[in-house]
Amino acid sequence: MLSFSIDANADTIKNSNLNLNNPDVRKCLLDATKSEGWKLASVYMNSDDKLVYVFDKGNDTKIYTSKEVFSN
């Protein structure tokens, strides 16, 4: 009997410096990630009412969460 194991380490990159509530920022994010080979895996609102975009590429994941936007 032959036994082996594969150690696959996924790399998760988190970014919360973008204002994803701005449609121009979202378009730039989608264009930039697509040109780098990332695929949009999910878009949702988290429990803090922040917009979240999740991208996958191989075993790697990028998660973009909208930053706090304060208006005075």
Side-chain angles (χ1 to χ4, degrees):
M1 178 161 35
L2 180 63
S3 176
F4 67 94
S5 67
I6 298 174
D7 185 21
N9 293 325
D11 186 21
T12 301
I13 302 164
K14 295 183 180 182
N15 183 321
S16 58
N17 296 323
L18 299 175
N19 177 7
L20 296 177
N21 295 314
N22 182 323
D24 292 331
V25 172
R26 291 193 306 265
K27 182 177 181 343
C28 287
L29 175 63
L30 292 171
D31 290 345
T33 53
K34 183 177 182 180
S35 71
E36 295 175 359
W38 291 89
K39 296 192 183 211
L40 182 61
S42 181
V43 178
Y44 62 92
M45 294 290 280
N46 69 10
S47 60
D48 295 326
D49 290 329
K50 293 182 182 178
L51 194 55
V52 179
Y53 276 67
V54 180
F55 296 90
D56 289 331
K57 180 174 160 183
N59 289 330
D60 298 332
T61 301
K62 283 187 180 183
I63 301 172
Y64 292 87
T65 304
S66 189
K67 71 176 183 175
E68 291 287 337
V69 180
F70 300 104
S71 57
N72 294 329

